[in-house]
Amino acid sequence: MNILTVKNICKKFNNLEVLRGIDLEVNKGEVIAIIGPSGSGKSTLLRCLIRLETIDKGSVAIEGKPMVYQDSNGDSIYSSEKDIRILRKKMGMVFQNFNLFPHKSVLENIIEAPITVSNTPLIEAENIADQLLEKVGLADKRDSYPCELSGGQKQRVAIARALAMNPDIMLFDEPTSALDPELTGEVLKVMKALAEEHMTMLVVTHEMGFAREVANKVIFMDNGEIIEQGNPQEVFGNPKHPRTKAFLGQILR
Amino acid sequence: MELEYIINSSIAIAKGCKITYSLFFSTLIFSLPLGLLIALARISKSNLLQAATGTYIWLLRGTPLLLQVFFIYFGLPAFGIKFESMTAAIVAFVLNYAAYFAEIFRSGIQSIDRGQYESADVLGLTYSQTMRRIIVPQMTKRILPPVSNEVITLVKDTALVFGIGLADVLRTAQIIVTRDFNISAFLIAGVFYLVNTLALTLIFRKLEQKYSYYTG
């Protein structure tokens, strides 16, 4: 089942074209790794999907409902704020820099959105939070503050926080890039477990091992375009485009 | 100096405390929330609000507080607006301190990382929820030192109301000094200000400790 449909997204920052006509279809339960050199537009693409950036052209639809569509002049028209809120609720996002709320404890970080946004009763929100903390292996950090956690622990809390809103799609924007190498493993393990539960995931990453092992589909982006996509065996084992070959040659050296 | 004289002078000066304290607390109670509103308008997307608050801050920070007190007390009656001297002083102080607090709040709000807004946004919090629950609580921790500075300045600025004939602590002391040709009343007034600023320093130190449970 098609859960996310992206057509011809174009995005400019001033005069710099960061996305030049991206098409993408995501099926329910798919894990898609988006790889490519820095500045290729991977993160911007992810941010456009959840409207942290607005697009200039193209359309984004979630479960068949348009968040932004293209009118007959080719301009992108966003749906009403109310409709967008409903659609965005279906997505969760994890950032490179965690962006935990430093003044709130781990538990408070996780229950913040369920309580304020979904009006979940406190006890129920806490129960969900405790289950999620168990899942990411941080039940003992429930009452700690973010400043007391390691990077890997912070990112696992951030994942739990996003999951607490029960999203259908999880977006990961370089979730391990700010971590010390020895801490990436614990975060990737949590992500892998999520993938095994058939969570739909879009992961912008430099972790080729993760992309190869966990993703159903790998997308290689360069210069604002999707250059090549396919299953990991194809893209890693037998890249067709010279730019993909060059990139993989550099990174897997 | 006789002890009795000092005690009697102190009692007289203590009567001036009423003016000084009511001006101090009234200014704080009204100028802090007003300052926050001005700061929020200053960083809003509306050009009109930005320009209006920018001008307001420029005018209120750009002229002497005493001049503003004079303007409200002596100037506004010409436009048919008349205040009691104490009310005039409170209005002038509130408007003036709100401008300074607004700039402190603005800098505090703008020092919060953009990622905080983004993570609140993707979790579905509205702008006002984000401000109330995420940004302003973090801002409060960061602005305590400059706010403490401003509040200590306020204690001493209250003495400016002698300009419109209000008998605050300093004015009462001055009356005693001129009457008795003895400057000990000034010393008593000085001690009054020192004790109060010391108390404020300690209160703000406690507040900073209260917020030290997290970093970042």
Side-chain angles (χ1 to χ4, degrees), chain A residues 43-185:
Chain A
S43 289
T44 307
L45 171 61
L46 219 56
R47 294 167 61 82
C48 286
L49 299 182
I50 197 161
R51 214 203 43 176
L52 281 177
E53 308 286 353
T54 52
I55 59 175
D56 303 323
K57 276 183 190 162
S59 66
V60 178
I62 294 137
E63 292 172 1
K65 295 179 196 78
M67 181 166 85
V68 49
Y69 59 93
Q70 203 159 6
D71 70 3
S72 49
N73 295 328
D75 296 323
S76 283
I77 311 288
Y78 275 87
S79 299
S80 72
E81 220 26 63
K82 195 175 146 233
D83 290 345
I84 292 176
R85 286 191 79 78
I86 295 169
L87 292 175
R88 288 174 95 201
K89 256 190 159 179
K90 298 178 188 294
M91 291 186 278
M93 183 156 180
V94 172
F95 299 87
Q96 182 177 351
N97 295 317
F98 329 123
N99 294 339
L100 293 178
F101 305 131
H103 61 306
K104 292 183 181 285
S105 72
V106 165
L107 180 77
E108 288 165 343
N109 264 276
I110 299 174
I111 64 175
E112 176 63 29
I115 286 180
T116 6
V117 181
S118 318
N119 296 316
T120 310
L122 179 66
I123 298 194
E124 196 186 323
E126 287 188 352
N127 280 336
I128 296 170
D130 284 331
Q131 285 166 24
L132 289 168
L133 281 173
E134 198 73 49
K135 188 170 177 171
V136 300
L138 291 172
D140 57 326
K141 299 291 181 191
R142 185 183 195 265
D143 298 314
S144 302
Y145 283 85
C147 59
E148 299 162 337
L149 305 179
S150 72
Q153 290 170 334
K154 283 183 197 171
Q155 196 59 298
R156 287 187 279 154
V157 173
I159 293 172
R161 181 176 68 171
L163 290 175
M165 291 302 276
N166 201 19
D168 296 336
I169 308 169
M170 282 285 282
L171 309 177
F172 291 88
D173 187 8
E174 304 202 20
T176 57
S177 298
L179 299 179
D180 292 335
E182 74 270 22
L183 299 178
T184 57

Side-chain angles (χ1 to χ4, degrees), chain B residues 54-99:
Chain B
T55 311
Y56 176 87
I57 290 167
W58 171 62
L59 284 175
L60 275 289
R61 289 200 309 177
T63 54
L65 174 54
L66 186 56
L67 174 63
Q68 294 162 20
V69 173
F70 283 160
F71 177 77
I72 287 179
Y73 187 59
F74 298 118
L76 284 186
F79 303 96
I81 307 168
K82 256 186 143 162
F83 288 118
E84 295 278 318
S85 53
M86 187 60 187
T87 317
I90 290 173
V91 170
F93 270 68
V94 167
L95 295 179
N96 179 279
Y97 270 80

Side-chain angles (χ1 to χ4, degrees), chain B residues 96-153:
Chain B
N96 179 279
Y97 270 80
Y100 283 93
F101 285 135
E103 282 298 273
I104 293 176
F105 291 149
R106 180 183 64 79
S107 68
I109 291 171
Q110 289 179 334
S111 76
I112 307 288
D113 186 67
R114 197 173 59 128
Q116 293 289 307
Y117 292 91
E118 291 186 346
S119 59
D121 188 26
V122 299
L123 285 169
L125 274 72
T126 62
Y127 180 75
S128 97
Q129 287 170 337
T130 305
M131 283 317 225
R132 270 186 293 123
R133 303 184 59 95
I134 309 299
I135 307 300
V136 171
Q138 291 184 60
M139 172 206 79
T140 308
K141 176 182 167 110
R142 296 191 185 183
I143 61 167
L144 279 176
V147 165
S148 145
N149 243 339
E150 213 52 50
V151 172
I152 285 171
T153 305

